[in-house]
Amino acid sequence: MKQEDLKILQLGKFYPIRGGVEKVMYDLMLGLSARKVDCDMLCALDKGDSRIIPLNEHARLIGSPSWAKIAATMISPAMILTLRKISRNYSVIHVHHPDPMACLALYCSGYKGKVVLHWHSDIQKQKMLLRFYKPLQNWLLKRADKIVGTTPVYLQESPYLKEVQEKTVCLPIGVEAMKPSPEAVESILQRYQGKNIVFSLGRLVTYKGYRYLIEAARYLDDRYVILIGGTGELKDELENETATLGVQDKVKLLGRISDEDLPAYYGACKVFCLSSIQKTEAFGIVQIEAMSCSKPLIATRIPQSGVSWVNAHGESGLNVAPENARELAEAIQTLTHDENTYRKYAENAGKRFQNLFTQKKMIDQCLKIYESL
């Protein structure tokens, strides 16, 4: 399929953007449309009536109203009706999984064209939902012309992809490099003067493993401070944990960090730490955002997850066992022990970002996948 014949629909999840799946959809739409490829995005709206938001001459965001959110799925019958009306206008529908609503809409659409299935992760938590959804998921796996995964590890290890390996292709997530303002970075460094800043970012939920990162502060001396950005249901519990362990001076829960302020935290930190403990963390976009600022990473070896592939052990950083506070602390100390070691990891992190995880590379590879259909 030639580029001039492409008319793409990104299908799935919801708007506004809150997580990695929606961000990838949105970035693909903007990146492809910047190259004059027509690319729209159909998703469920968090609130409000249906609307179309023109983004440029080649991209529109088509939002469908939702009735409710159940088991992390937006219930939007309007998405089914909308896709039935518009599906014939597209040469490729690029559906982002996991999203049962998007899959159901595609099933009911009568669409006969090419389908790319973007397998961001297996359904992990909603076991009851999966029991009902599995026949539809199996249909989607058979229906897809190509199945895209964000890391080779996840493609190989997912039990649901064992029978469809011949259709799989790896498309690592790519982002625009963070551009911290020197003044904003200096402001944060002054606030934590003389400290090695260990930064982490994400929702305050169980699978992020923040209790182990907080516990790691017990094994670090006063030269270190751990800054955790994000909000979530475990906020009070984690604050209590810092008090119980007596590490209030070494751990700060920052709450939500605005998009405007975020680059400065990446720029100010010495290392970035992703302490996640479950396969729900399939990739960790925050890792490549930190790499774009040449920051060494500490991540975890989660079985069957792509997290430890993104962070190449011994190259861009170190990977440790999940749920192990002492290993997290030792890795932080190893990376910051001397300037030569630190510089080597920092340079390698920046190179790995440029080689694998730029937004340009993601768009280039995505276009090749479409053109191969």
Side-chain angles (χ1 to χ4, degrees):
M1 196 179 297
K2 295 177 181 177
Q3 185 169 322
E4 55 267 28
D5 298 326
L6 292 174
K7 192 167 175 62
I8 313 298
L9 181 68
Q10 306 290 330
L11 174 65
K13 287 293 183 175
F14 42 85
Y15 186 81
I17 297 164
R18 288 206 183 131
V21 176
E22 302 96 276
K23 177 171 169 50
V24 170
M25 288 175 63
Y26 193 81
D27 286 352
L28 284 173
M29 174 178 60
L30 288 186
L32 289 162
S33 62
R35 301 194 189 187
K36 299 184 169 27
V37 174
D38 290 336
C39 185
D40 297 334
M41 173 172 158
L42 173 60
C43 56
L45 295 172
D46 223 3
K47 55 187 176 182
D49 296 329
S50 60
R51 61 185 187 270
I52 296 175
I53 306 170
L55 297 171
N56 58 51
E57 62 179 305
H58 294 284
R60 301 174 304 159
L61 194 150
I62 305 165
S64 299
S66 303
W67 285 0
K69 186 178 181 180
I70 301 172
T73 300
M74 302 302 283
I75 307 304
S76 176
M79 182 186 280
I80 298 173
L81 298 173
T82 300
L83 189 60
R84 280 186 68 86
K85 288 178 186 173
I86 68 173
S87 63
R88 65 176 64 89
N89 299 330
Y90 299 96
S91 54
V92 179
I93 291 182
H94 188 149
V95 58
H96 293 259
H97 174 95
D99 185 0
M101 193 71 240
C103 180
L104 180 60
L106 183 63
Y107 181 79
C108 297
S109 69
Y111 178 67
K112 303 298 183 188
K114 299 295 185 181
V115 171
V116 172
L117 168 57
H118 209 129
W119 195 272
H120 291 270
S121 72
D122 303 340
I123 292 178
Q124 294 289 314
K125 287 170 62 179
Q126 291 83 19
K127 302 297 184 187
M128 186 63 73
L129 171 67
L130 182 58
R131 187 177 301 172
F132 292 102
Y133 172 58
K134 199 169 181 183
L136 199 56
Q137 178 176 280
N138 289 340
W139 170 84
L140 182 58
L141 287 164
K142 289 177 184 173
R143 174 66 180 85
D145 296 282
K146 285 284 184 186
I147 299 170
V148 171
T150 54
T151 68
V153 177
Y154 217 100
L155 286 173
Q156 291 160 13
E157 297 291 338
S158 170
Y160 305 105
L161 303 181
K162 295 294 184 190
E163 304 301 318
V164 289
Q165 286 292 304
E166 73 284 353
K167 294 199 285 187
T168 61
V169 59
C170 183
L171 175 64
I173 296 170
V175 297
E176 289 286 357
M178 289 280 165
K179 294 181 174 61
S181 134
E183 295 80 14
V185 170
E186 185 58 32
S187 174
I188 295 171
L189 291 175
Q190 287 299 320
R191 205 176 313 156
Y192 302 101
Q193 201 162 14
K195 304 284 189 182
N196 288 315
I197 296 173
V198 179
F199 183 46
S200 192
L201 179 72
R203 288 185 298 130
L204 306 183
V205 293
T206 302
Y207 81 83
K208 293 291 185 180
Y210 286 130
R211 57 173 291 198
Y212 302 101
L213 182 54
I214 290 168
E215 187 187 344
R218 294 174 60 197
Y219 307 109
L220 297 172
D221 60 36
D222 292 337
R223 292 173 298 165
Y224 295 90
V225 63
I226 296 171
L227 305 182
I228 300 173
T231 60
E233 61 202 41
L234 296 186
K235 179 177 181 291
D236 293 342
E237 184 179 316
L238 293 174
E239 284 181 341
N240 291 337
E241 184 83 0
T242 64
T244 301
L245 295 175
V247 293
Q248 303 99 313
D249 292 340
K250 288 190 280 188
V251 179
K252 307 294 179 185
L253 299 180
L254 304 177
R256 183 183 178 276
I257 301 174
S258 70
D259 292 344
E260 183 183 3
D261 293 337
L262 181 57
Y265 281 94
Y266 283 119
C269 74
K270 194 78 170 174
V271 297
F272 184 87
C273 185
L274 187 69
S275 55
S276 299
I277 58 174
Q278 295 171 8
K279 191 185 170 187
T280 308
E281 190 76 82
F283 184 93
I285 292 177
V286 287
Q287 294 192 101
I288 61 175
E289 290 177 341
M291 274 187 204
S292 78
C293 295
S294 293
K295 300 299 175 173
L297 307 176
I298 294 154
T300 47
R301 298 187 299 270
I302 304 167
Q304 300 182 339
S305 167
V307 164
S308 57
W309 175 84
V310 175
N311 179 31
H313 183 76
E315 180 186 329
S316 56
L318 299 173
N319 295 314
V320 303
E323 303 184 7
N324 194 315
R326 190 180 287 276
E327 281 196 26
L328 285 171
E330 288 172 354
I332 290 166
Q333 291 165 333
T334 298
L335 289 181
T336 57
H337 180 259
D338 66 83
E339 193 56 38
N340 287 338
T341 299
Y342 179 79
R343 193 182 302 115
K344 179 191 78 170
Y345 280 103
E347 288 174 0
N348 287 343
K351 287 176 185 173
R352 187 165 175 80
F353 171 78
Q354 291 296 334
N355 290 337
L356 289 173
F357 302 120
T358 65
Q359 194 172 98
K360 179 183 182 302
K361 284 193 178 293
M362 178 175 73
I363 302 300
D364 286 345
Q365 289 178 252
C366 190
L367 272 173
K368 286 179 183 174
I369 291 167
Y370 294 154
E371 289 167 355
S372 73
L373 294 173

